[in-house]
Amino acid sequence: MDIVLASGSPRRRELLERAQLDFTILSVDIDETPLDNESPTAYIERMVATKADAAIHKLCDTSQADHDSLTSPFIILTSDTIGVLSDDKTVLVKPVDREHAYSMWQRMSDNVHEVWTAVQATQVQLLPIAKPSPPESTQCLQVINQQRITERTEVTFIPLTTQIMSDYWDSGEPADKAGGYGIQGLGAAWVSRINGSYTNVVGLPLAQTLALIKEMTEGSMDTVNPL
């Protein structure tokens, strides 16, 4: 079954490539601003669902022009990674500026936080939909199966000084990463230990994602009826 990775993240692309998985990439843009009083669980689940919806709408436009390329069912894979402080309430997102990054890092310094990644696999198929007026038929993607997982990994940081934080911010690495650090890059020097999936901290729990795809491909998951 064909797979569409609805993500512009080079890290997620590289992880799937390591698994020798065939897939295509579709970047989607959504508003990632947390809602007031939104819990980490609600936030991350909303993100992967919204990304899937955005991908479906984008692919629907493609399907109108090229029906032949989307005739078989395929999987849209969406993912979102956040950091969560030990209070299980505070979401660590991508820093908007230096001050925002510092405020997160100061709370993560010499402390344990968790990295959560939600992965959603949405199986879709091109199906005819009758328009009520005028009475004609068009084609659009319909959800025929959907499943989501969330993986959590504990990460322990070393004590961070102002100089350490300043040097790291100036490197440019933190800007596009949840919690403002990359464990696969310079940010690895901050991590004294992890408990759980390393690839989850990078941005995609690879073993769990491959298991999710396998289950959906084999058709063993419960089907979610499209709305």
Side-chain angles (χ1 to χ4, degrees):
M1 188 177 298
D2 291 339
I3 297 171
V4 175
L5 175 62
S7 172
S9 167
R11 296 170 293 280
R12 294 187 179 118
R13 182 192 70 240
E14 290 165 5
L15 286 170
L16 287 182
E17 287 173 346
R18 289 183 197 175
Q20 298 182 318
L21 200 65
D22 291 329
F23 61 95
T24 57
I25 295 173
L26 178 72
S27 295
V28 294
D29 294 318
I30 65 168
D31 183 359
E32 299 185 15
T33 305
L35 302 177
D36 291 340
N37 300 316
E38 188 173 29
S39 70
T41 299
Y43 172 78
I44 201 170
E45 291 182 352
R46 180 170 63 86
M47 287 297 98
V48 291
T50 303
K51 289 177 181 180
D53 289 343
I56 289 172
H57 281 94
K58 197 169 185 178
L59 287 166
C60 252
D61 293 338
T62 302
S63 71
Q64 300 301 316
D66 188 7
H67 292 177
D68 293 337
S69 66
L70 298 173
T71 53
S72 300
F74 61 95
I75 294 172
I76 297 173
L77 199 64
T78 54
S79 182
D80 195 75
T81 300
I82 58 173
V84 181
L85 290 180
S86 55
D87 61 6
D88 281 338
K89 297 178 181 179
T90 305
V91 176
L92 305 167
V93 294
K94 299 172 185 175
V96 297
D97 53 29
R98 182 187 293 265
E99 289 69 29
H100 183 209
Y102 279 25
S103 68
M104 289 193 296
W105 295 340
Q106 286 165 353
R107 301 182 70 178
M108 298 157 73
S109 174
D110 198 22
N111 205 347
V112 178
H113 66 276
E114 288 189 337
V115 175
W116 297 10
T117 300
V119 182
Q120 180 169 302
T122 304
Q123 186 178 358
V124 296
Q125 185 173 17
L126 191 66
L127 297 174
I129 295 183
K131 288 184 177 180
S133 180
E136 61 184 44
S137 180
T138 186
Q139 297 278 340
C140 193
L141 295 172
Q142 296 293 290
V143 175
I144 57 177
N145 197 350
Q146 194 172 78
Q147 186 72 14
R148 181 171 57 235
I149 61 171
T150 300
E151 185 69 17
R152 303 183 183 187
T153 302
E154 288 185 349
V155 181
T156 304
F157 267 13
I158 63 170
L160 303 176
T161 65
T162 301
Q163 188 62 54
I164 289 174
M165 293 188 292
S166 177
D167 290 344
Y168 187 47
W169 178 262
D170 290 341
S171 74
E173 184 175 276
D176 65 339
K177 297 172 178 63
Y181 75 97
I183 195 172
Q184 74 282 4
L186 300 175
W190 291 11
V191 178
S192 60
R193 66 179 58 87
I194 70 169
N195 180 20
S197 167
Y198 169 80
T199 56
N200 182 50
V201 185
V202 176
L204 188 72
L206 188 56
Q208 295 84 346
T209 299
L210 295 177
L212 177 65
I213 293 171
K214 184 175 184 291
E215 287 185 42
M216 179 164 283
T217 301
E218 292 176 349
S220 60
M221 292 185 177
D222 294 334
T223 299
V224 175
N225 292 326
L227 299 177

